[in-house]
Amino acid sequence: MDLQARPGGGSPSRRGPRRRDRHGRGLRGSLIPSHLPAFRTRRERFDELVTASASAIIERFPRRLEHLQVIVEEVPRTDPAPWEDSGVALGRTVPATREHPPIIVVHRRPIQTRCAGEEELEAMLRQVISEQIASLLGLRPEQVDPEAWGE
């Protein structure tokens, strides 16, 4: 153990990072208990909603979407492609190739900025995911998830 004298006298201390127990109150813990909803971050709640929405749709087409991957990104990496709308993309589809399975990319920030609450976010996620799956399967979004489109 490497000991050094404190400047100004006093006893030697250990070198390196040291956690302090200021005023004898003990180490600090989390302010919010883990069983409360506020314990999870917005990103974790968003990921859970994406998983729930995608799995509900995938159950309808288990064989055709067996290897589908759903990925969440913060923002789109590039500008929209010429065939896409001129606005910000809410999601993208990458068709399957020999190297990788089909992939659906959902963009978190553009979707969250368009939604006021949790219910609206869930409805928009179902629509975005059903649109992407519909383009992957060559169907209309209403055929993929009629509940999301009010049918």
Side-chain angles (χ1 to χ4, degrees), residues 67-69 71 93-104 136:
H67 300 291
L68 178 69
Q69 292 182 354
I71 298 173
T93 303
V94 180
T97 64
R98 290 184 178 187
E99 290 81 34
H100 64 79
I103 299 172
I104 290 178
L136 195 66

Side-chain angles (χ1 to χ4, degrees), residues 134-147:
S135 70
L136 195 66
L137 298 178
L139 301 171
R140 292 189 344 260
E142 298 83 21
Q143 293 173 312
V144 172
D145 190 5
E147 298 164 9

Side-chain angles (χ1 to χ4, degrees), residues 46-68:
F46 186 86
D47 290 347
E48 288 174 3
L49 285 174
V50 168
T51 302
S53 298
S55 62
I57 297 172
I58 290 172
E59 286 177 3
R60 294 187 179 141
F61 304 95
R63 200 159 162 96
R64 293 177 77 182
L65 300 174
E66 183 177 15
H67 300 291
L68 178 69

